[in-house]
Amino acid sequence: MGKIYAVILAGGKGERLWPATLALPKPLLPFGGNGRTLIKATYDRVLPLVGEGNVYLVATRELAELLGAELGLHREQLILEPFGKNTAPAVGLAALVLGELDPAGTMLILPADHRIDDEEAFHRALLAAVKAAEEGYLVTLGIRPTYPATGYGYIEGAEPLFEAEGYVVHRAARFVEKPDHSLAEEYLARGNFFWNSGIFVWKFSRILEEIHRHLPGLAAALAELKSHLGKPTWEGALREAYSWAEETSIDYGVMEKAEKIATIPVSFGWSDLGDWHAIWEVLRRDREDNASVDVEVYGKDATGNLVFSLTPKRVGLLGVEDLAVVDTPEALLVAKRELAQRVREIARGFAEREPDWPELYKLDRSGMLGVMERFPEQCREALARGREVVFPRELSGFERIVVVGMGGSGITGDLLGLAFPEMEVITVRNYVVPRFIGEETLLVGVSYSGNTEETLSAFLDGLKHTKKALGISSGGKLAEICQKQGIPWIEIPKGFQPRAALGHLLFTLLGALEGLGLRAEGMDEGLSILSRMAGELCPRSTPNRAQGLARALQGKVPVIYGAAGTTRPIAFRWRTQINENAKQPAFSAELPELCHNEIVGYELAGGLLPQIIRLFLRTSHDHPRVALRVEVLKEVLRRRRLSFLELHGEGETPLAQALSLLYLGDWVSVYLALLNEVDPTPVEPIAELKERLARESWEPWR
Ligand code: F6R
């Protein structure tokens, strides 16, 4: 006899629990009792039956990692789906993977997010089901209905088969779809119709046999996958094979048609917590029948209300009855509790209500969208131009590069640092350069306009220490200084906003520096990713991912987290692009440093600024301990119900991954500008400040 395995299925959108499920997947909502999440309660409940190593989770990677972290599961306990395809493929996949380990084993299929009151009765029911499974039955627990529910499918029980653990196991005559109200009343009266709990028990071999019989696409996918188990080819094969599988539920795809089905009628206090009314029912309520989680409620003449907030706060209720009030950083729901089933309509209504993008594009009066779309061409053109530059021989033989530049120009230095990991590259955003630089340093003055006073001042300061220098600008005083002093100067095209000329500044330099023996790895890869992204993110592909992200950041204060050595400058670019294009406050911070200070600020952040949204920018080249820190931080944020997003770079090389994240951020900032109803291009406060300073004469370059 094989062992018993618990397989938790974690799919489902939880639309009726909008807006909480915008912020957290349903299994992470804190309704599991004793302050636990639903998934933790599910896990704790089944543990005594199967033991720690035998609980598995099936979900897509992102969700599985989130939920696995919540439960402290090992990687091997996560069965990753390439994408969600309803429950039949998930069950088939788990049966294949686990059946290979233990062909005689039995699996318990458990939804991640149900509530059960009497755990002892639940355990006995499952043991009885395991007995029936040993006899070759596909078993489902049938909940004895307590009212004529129209929200559940039903199972019709037939003759009793045997008794075990105090339960009677019945043959199941048939599965029936959700009934209308009068049929539901009839089922209730008949007494042999039970709610389909979604909890199933069967042997691996039996469910695979029935899948083979009724779902040929899934069966073929599983047969193909068998030879890839445990091999590096697994992921690719899984993605391919999963696309053949029928997208259907195990109930509809298998149980409605299969042979030897049994059901065990149970009444252990079950709820699928599908909507806010169901949540209200299971929560502890005060004398006025108000239930609340994580909020301090003060009520007067208020009864039967549910109040839930993702950020702790005080809520006053005056003269209101039977409402569901649900507050999250993104959205607020106020609904009659009896209409809880229809909250899905609200969720869908909002999802469909995309902004009128074509109308918003008209706000882009100065043409930033076009510049953005042509960015990959800008980079290619610049690279070609840079490769034509011939530097005098005296310029070579440096050990370090110091780039002086501000704002949109200064970022060039940071990106050069990423492009040349073997070389020390320092970006100076100041009037002076560090004292330690000497003839071993190549000084690069970068100013798009050529007129930025800090850059000019630092460039002149640097020239006192090294003769190895070059300037890059579209003209201005930097060009004059270079020409007067016989310093190589690279001209780039006029007519751009400095921040939108990053391709010209960076790639011209990358091309030119090749002549000095510096070659950046990953340029070709980066450029081809940028070209693809231009097509995916441009206004013609509406709605797109950048627009979705812009919507998530609208009305928030984004705090962008980068990692030292990889995404730190990209986080800074996101921040400055959001500032300059979207005219919106944004901040950036750096890992691991922020683990030593910023995180302490989470303690009050919930109360002070629930509209902060954190964004983790990640690459596969982040230090492994930094990657681990991100995982831990995500757990902390989740526990504190603070919202965050996570974005991964595309491609292989560090440069390609950095550029892909940078370009995504640039698009997001422009779409965010349009959502904020501002023209992305003008940056009047910068110009004003420059003008104001120009009035106080200070011209070290004269
Ligand atoms: C404006 C922008 C600014 C400038 C900065 C320095 O688009 O990006 O951050 O880059 O004021 O000016 P330049 O680049 O001309 O030296």
Side-chain angles (χ1 to χ4, degrees):
M1 198 176 112
K3 285 197 289 191
I4 308 174
Y5 301 82
V7 174
I8 302 177
L9 300 186
K13 292 195 213 140
E15 270 180 325
R16 283 171 296 157
L17 293 179
W18 186 92
T21 41
L22 285 181
L24 287 174
K26 186 181 165 198
L28 286 179
L29 293 178
F31 305 127
N34 301 326
R36 290 173 305 171
T37 59
L38 289 171
I39 184 117
K40 183 74 171 71
T42 302
Y43 178 77
D44 290 349
R45 192 184 299 131
V46 75
L47 211 54
L49 225 51
V50 297
E52 233 173 51
N54 297 323
V55 183
Y56 289 79
L57 189 78
V58 190
T60 51
R61 179 182 294 276
E62 211 165 313
L63 187 58
E65 283 176 358
L66 265 170
L67 302 181
E70 163 75 5
L71 303 179
L73 297 185
H74 294 290
R75 267 211 114 63
E76 312 78 69
Q77 290 171 282
L78 306 180
I79 300 176
L80 303 181
E81 296 182 277
F83 38 85
K85 258 206 140 175
N86 213 329
T87 52
V91 168
L93 183 63
L96 173 76
V97 172
L98 299 176
E100 201 61 20
L101 296 176
D102 183 2
T106 301
M107 77 204 285
L108 318 177
I109 299 287
L110 305 165
D113 45 19
H114 290 180
R115 175 128 171 182
I116 285 161
D117 292 333
D118 184 346
E119 297 205 349
E120 189 270 333
F122 170 72
H123 290 160
R124 279 190 295 108
L126 284 179
L127 288 174
V130 169
K131 278 204 183 118
E134 287 293 336
E135 307 279 310
Y137 284 97
L138 304 184
V139 193
T140 170
L141 302 191
I143 312 290
R144 286 186 195 282
T146 48
Y147 66 99
T150 53
Y152 304 129
Y154 284 68
I155 306 151
E156 184 181 351
E159 73 280 2
L161 295 167
F162 61 89
E163 277 184 41
E165 306 284 339
Y167 284 100
V168 184
V169 181
H170 290 258
R171 192 174 64 76
R174 61 185 175 124
F175 274 64
V176 286
E177 302 278 310
K178 294 175 187 170
D180 61 17
H181 189 76
S182 69
L183 201 53
E185 281 187 327
E186 191 187 318
Y187 290 166
L188 184 64
R190 298 254 298 263
N192 64 332
F193 280 78
F194 313 107
W195 294 337
N196 179 0
S197 64
I199 301 172
F200 302 105
V201 182
W202 43 57
K203 298 200 74 91
F204 298 131
S205 50
R206 269 293 286 138
I207 191 68
L208 288 171
E209 194 180 298
E210 294 291 345
I211 286 175
H212 192 76
R213 207 164 284 154
H214 304 290
L215 294 172
L218 177 57
L222 297 177
E224 165 63 25
L225 280 172
K226 216 173 159 125
S227 60
H228 296 276
L229 272 165
K231 299 204 180 126
T233 51
W234 170 259
E235 258 186 59
L238 179 61
R239 183 164 283 280
E240 159 82 14
Y242 227 59
S243 63
W244 312 335
E246 293 84 353
E247 182 161 9
T248 184
S249 68
I250 196 75
D251 313 52
Y252 184 74
V254 174
M255 297 302 273
E256 287 189 11
K257 301 158 190 149
E259 314 250 297
K260 269 194 110 167
I261 309 275
T263 185
I264 305 180
V266 294
S267 36
F268 39 50
W270 170 89
S271 168
D272 76 343
L273 299 178
D275 60 40
W276 293 115
H277 174 77
I279 303 265
W280 173 83
E281 277 193 321
V282 302
L283 290 179
R284 208 159 17 134
R285 304 195 285 270
D286 64 16
R287 247 180 287 141
E288 276 71 44
D289 244 3
N290 295 311
S292 61
V293 180
D294 288 347
V295 282
E296 189 184 336
V297 173
Y298 188 76
K300 279 270 174 212
D301 301 326
T303 56
N305 300 293
L306 166 74
V307 186
F308 172 58
S309 171
L310 277 182
T311 45
K313 61 176 53 144
R314 293 178 190 170
V315 179
L317 297 175
L318 183 60
V320 288
E321 280 171 21
D322 302 328
L323 293 184
V325 180
V326 181
D327 179 49
T328 72
E330 289 88 5
L332 170 72
L333 171 77
V334 181
K336 278 190 180 164
R337 196 161 41 71
E338 71 190 56
L339 299 181
Q341 286 276 344
R342 291 180 51 196
V343 169
R344 173 180 281 146
E345 294 168 31
I346 306 280
R348 291 190 181 168
F350 272 115
E352 280 161 17
R353 198 193 283 170
E354 270 292 317
D356 185 352
W357 285 107
E359 197 52 37
L360 290 180
Y361 296 151
K362 294 182 189 156
L363 294 165
D364 177 34
R365 284 180 280 275
S366 321
M368 186 64 94
L369 285 167
V371 176
M372 201 57 80
E373 190 174 346
R374 286 190 296 276
F375 181 69
E377 283 162 48
Q378 184 190 121
C379 297
R380 281 202 172 81
E381 234 181 84
L383 188 61
R385 184 180 329 102
R387 282 177 174 156
E388 279 166 20
V389 172
V390 183
F391 286 126
R393 209 179 296 163
E394 305 82 74
L395 223 56
S396 52
F398 50 85
E399 289 161 17
R400 168 194 305 129
I401 302 178
V402 167
V403 177
V404 296
M406 302 300 296
S409 295
I411 186 83
T412 314
D414 296 327
L415 292 167
L416 281 185
L418 289 183
F420 304 129
E422 312 299 329
M423 169 69 66
E424 186 183 9
V425 183
I426 299 171
T427 308
V428 173
R429 297 175 165 93
N430 194 3
Y431 285 91
V432 290
V433 293
R435 293 297 94 184
F436 58 75
I437 77 166
E439 284 300 333
E440 75 299 333
T441 297
L442 174 71
L443 177 71
V444 183
V446 185
S447 167
Y448 180 75
S449 63
N451 289 325
T452 297
E453 68 168 45
E454 299 96 310
T455 310
L456 295 173
S457 164
F459 190 60
L460 289 170
D461 187 40
L463 287 177
K464 292 182 203 149
H465 304 280
T466 177
K467 293 280 155 295
K468 293 191 169 75
L470 64 99
I472 179 166
S473 72
S474 65
K477 291 205 179 67
L478 185 62
E480 284 171 30
I481 293 171
C482 289
Q483 277 152 6
K484 214 186 273 169
Q485 301 207 21
I487 295 166
W489 170 70
I490 307 173
E491 182 179 11
I492 51 165
K494 290 193 171 49
F496 287 85
Q497 271 292 329
R499 60 189 187 283
L502 179 63
H504 282 306
L505 294 169
L506 175 67
F507 277 85
T508 309
L509 275 175
L510 287 175
L513 290 173
E514 282 183 3
L516 298 178
L518 281 174
R519 209 188 138 75
E521 199 199 330
M523 275 193 298
D524 290 341
E525 188 194 20
L527 287 172
S528 77
I529 291 176
L530 292 182
S531 297
R532 179 176 45 74
M533 288 175 73
E536 288 168 3
L537 304 179
C538 71
R540 288 185 308 285
S541 313
T542 295
N544 63 47
R545 181 168 173 236
Q547 291 172 338
L549 283 166
R551 290 185 68 190
L553 303 188
Q554 192 187 9
K556 303 268 173 61
V557 181
V559 180
I560 301 115
Y561 288 164
T566 54
T567 51
R568 183 196 57 78
I570 312 302
F572 181 70
R573 169 77 173 184
W574 270 69
R575 162 198 161 173
T576 57
Q577 287 288 75
I578 292 172
N579 294 151
E580 292 179 62
N581 288 335
K583 294 27 171 190
Q584 189 171 316
F587 301 91
S588 60
E590 163 185 357
L591 277 146
E593 174 63 18
L594 68 89
C595 301
H596 302 272
N597 29 61
E598 171 148 345
I599 52 165
V600 189
Y602 293 175
E603 310 251 323
L604 275 190
L608 277 179
L609 276 181
Q611 65 269 50
I612 283 186
I613 180 161
R614 291 158 193 83
L615 252 103
F616 290 96
L617 302 186
R618 308 189 63 176
T619 74
S620 57
H621 301 279
D622 298 345
H623 191 284
R625 300 293 291 180
V626 166
L628 179 62
R629 279 172 189 271
V630 171
E631 293 310 321
V632 178
L633 281 185
K634 279 161 44 187
E635 272 172 46
V636 174
L637 290 169
R638 235 176 274 126
R639 233 179 293 129
R640 295 194 179 277
R641 317 251 169 78
L642 298 173
S643 44
F644 65 85
L645 294 166
E646 192 178 355
L647 299 168
H648 293 261
E650 293 183 41
E652 299 292 329
T653 54
L655 185 62
Q657 294 195 33
L659 286 172
S660 69
L661 284 170
L662 180 141
Y663 194 35
L664 177 63
D666 281 7
W667 277 112
V668 170
S669 68
V670 176
Y671 288 128
L672 190 52
L674 303 181
L675 291 173
N676 289 343
E677 301 190 6
V678 293
D679 182 351
T681 304
V683 279
E684 273 152 31
I686 298 179
E688 270 167 30
L689 202 78
K690 283 184 178 176
E691 261 166 48
R692 175 72 188 79
L693 267 119
R695 271 188 255 147
E696 315 286 328
S697 115
W698 184 76
E699 295 189 325
W701 42 86
R702 284 227 169 257

Tab-separated table of all heavy atoms in Angstrom, residues 406-409 447-449 452 497-499 580 683 686 690, ligand 1:
chain	number	residue	atom	x	y	z
A	406	MET	N	24.639	65.051	-15.004
A	406	MET	CA	23.481	65.186	-14.119
A	406	MET	C	22.224	64.657	-14.799
A	406	MET	O	22.133	64.638	-16.037
A	406	MET	CB	23.250	66.665	-13.772
A	406	MET	CG	24.404	67.395	-13.114
A	406	MET	SD	24.927	66.692	-11.542
A	406	MET	CE	23.470	66.960	-10.550
A	407	GLY	N	21.253	64.287	-13.981
A	407	GLY	CA	19.914	63.932	-14.473
A	407	GLY	C	19.955	62.894	-15.572
A	407	GLY	O	20.661	61.880	-15.481
A	408	GLY	N	19.213	63.178	-16.626
A	408	GLY	CA	19.092	62.223	-17.738
A	408	GLY	C	20.417	61.905	-18.386
A	408	GLY	O	20.582	60.837	-18.986
A	409	SER	N	21.388	62.797	-18.272
A	409	SER	CA	22.718	62.525	-18.832
A	409	SER	C	23.543	61.681	-17.868
A	409	SER	O	24.308	60.798	-18.287
A	409	SER	CB	23.453	63.837	-19.118
A	409	SER	OG	22.779	64.549	-20.127
A	447	SER	N	26.753	65.790	-21.043
A	447	SER	CA	25.646	66.712	-20.810
A	447	SER	C	24.920	66.873	-22.134
A	447	SER	O	25.508	67.359	-23.101
A	447	SER	CB	26.165	68.072	-20.327
A	447	SER	OG	25.118	69.015	-20.397
A	448	TYR	N	23.680	66.473	-22.166
A	448	TYR	CA	22.978	66.527	-23.446
A	448	TYR	C	22.999	67.951	-24.006
A	448	TYR	O	23.406	68.181	-25.145
A	448	TYR	CB	21.530	66.023	-23.311
A	448	TYR	CG	20.846	66.100	-24.650
A	448	TYR	CD1	21.144	65.175	-25.643
A	448	TYR	CD2	19.969	67.137	-24.957
A	448	TYR	CE1	20.588	65.279	-26.905
A	448	TYR	CE2	19.405	67.252	-26.215
A	448	TYR	CZ	19.715	66.313	-27.184
A	448	TYR	OH	19.192	66.421	-28.435
A	449	SER	N	22.627	68.918	-23.162
A	449	SER	CA	22.610	70.313	-23.644
A	449	SER	C	24.026	70.851	-23.773
A	449	SER	O	24.294	71.743	-24.560
A	449	SER	CB	21.822	71.180	-22.663
A	449	SER	OG	22.490	71.178	-21.406
A	452	THR	N	25.053	72.279	-18.580
A	452	THR	CA	24.674	72.076	-17.177
A	452	THR	C	25.848	72.441	-16.268
A	452	THR	O	26.938	71.893	-16.411
A	452	THR	CB	24.221	70.615	-16.976
A	452	THR	OG1	23.062	70.426	-17.795
A	452	THR	CG2	23.871	70.312	-15.541
A	497	GLN	N	14.681	65.742	-25.491
A	497	GLN	CA	14.813	65.979	-24.073
A	497	GLN	C	16.012	65.138	-23.633
A	497	GLN	O	16.153	64.002	-24.079
A	497	GLN	CB	13.565	65.486	-23.328
A	497	GLN	CG	12.477	66.514	-23.187
A	497	GLN	CD	12.882	67.647	-22.265
A	497	GLN	OE1	13.656	67.450	-21.332
A	497	GLN	NE2	12.383	68.837	-22.552
A	498	PRO	N	16.874	65.649	-22.758
A	498	PRO	CA	18.070	64.873	-22.376
A	498	PRO	C	17.743	63.441	-21.963
A	498	PRO	O	18.394	62.486	-22.388
A	498	PRO	CB	18.630	65.670	-21.200
A	498	PRO	CG	18.200	67.081	-21.458
A	498	PRO	CD	16.857	66.983	-22.139
A	499	ARG	N	16.709	63.291	-21.150
A	499	ARG	CA	16.409	61.943	-20.655
A	499	ARG	C	15.943	61.026	-21.764
A	499	ARG	O	16.016	59.803	-21.662
A	499	ARG	CB	15.374	61.995	-19.527
A	499	ARG	CG	14.044	62.598	-19.935
A	499	ARG	CD	13.147	62.814	-18.731
A	499	ARG	NE	11.800	63.231	-19.106
A	499	ARG	CZ	11.469	64.470	-19.489
A	499	ARG	NH1	12.395	65.419	-19.582
A	499	ARG	NH2	10.213	64.754	-19.804
A	580	GLU	N	9.939	62.982	-13.829
A	580	GLU	CA	10.009	63.972	-14.916
A	580	GLU	C	8.894	63.791	-15.947
A	580	GLU	O	8.346	64.768	-16.443
A	580	GLU	CB	11.371	63.909	-15.604
A	580	GLU	CG	12.494	64.390	-14.700
A	580	GLU	CD	13.865	64.316	-15.353
A	580	GLU	OE1	14.080	64.983	-16.369
A	580	GLU	OE2	14.715	63.565	-14.842
A	683	VAL	N	9.553	69.859	-18.666
A	683	VAL	CA	9.995	69.734	-17.260
A	683	VAL	C	10.298	71.148	-16.769
A	683	VAL	O	11.440	71.509	-16.522
A	683	VAL	CB	11.231	68.806	-17.126
A	683	VAL	CG1	10.826	67.352	-17.124
A	683	VAL	CG2	12.251	69.036	-18.251
A	686	ILE	N	12.649	72.198	-13.781
A	686	ILE	CA	14.097	72.066	-13.983
A	686	ILE	C	14.615	73.308	-14.710
A	686	ILE	O	15.618	73.921	-14.315
A	686	ILE	CB	14.438	70.782	-14.786
A	686	ILE	CG1	13.991	69.539	-14.011
A	686	ILE	CG2	15.928	70.722	-15.092
A	686	ILE	CD1	14.253	68.220	-14.726
A	690	LYS	N	17.257	76.215	-13.412
A	690	LYS	CA	18.483	76.512	-14.163
A	690	LYS	C	18.557	78.018	-14.460
A	690	LYS	O	19.600	78.644	-14.300
A	690	LYS	CB	18.520	75.703	-15.462
A	690	LYS	CG	18.897	74.225	-15.235
A	690	LYS	CD	19.023	73.458	-16.550
A	690	LYS	CE	19.434	72.016	-16.275
A	690	LYS	NZ	19.493	71.184	-17.468
B	1	F6R	C1	15.467	66.625	-18.827
B	1	F6R	C2	16.422	65.801	-18.079
B	1	F6R	C3	17.230	66.451	-17.036
B	1	F6R	C4	18.591	66.872	-17.583
B	1	F6R	C5	19.445	67.517	-16.517
B	1	F6R	C6	20.859	67.814	-17.023
B	1	F6R	O1	14.925	65.866	-19.856
B	1	F6R	O2	16.518	64.642	-18.310
B	1	F6R	O3	17.349	65.546	-15.963
B	1	F6R	O4	19.246	65.722	-18.074
B	1	F6R	O5	18.838	68.700	-16.121
B	1	F6R	O6	20.858	68.456	-18.255
B	1	F6R	P1	21.780	67.941	-19.421
B	1	F6R	O7	21.407	66.547	-19.660
B	1	F6R	O8	21.490	68.826	-20.579
B	1	F6R	O9	23.175	68.089	-18.923
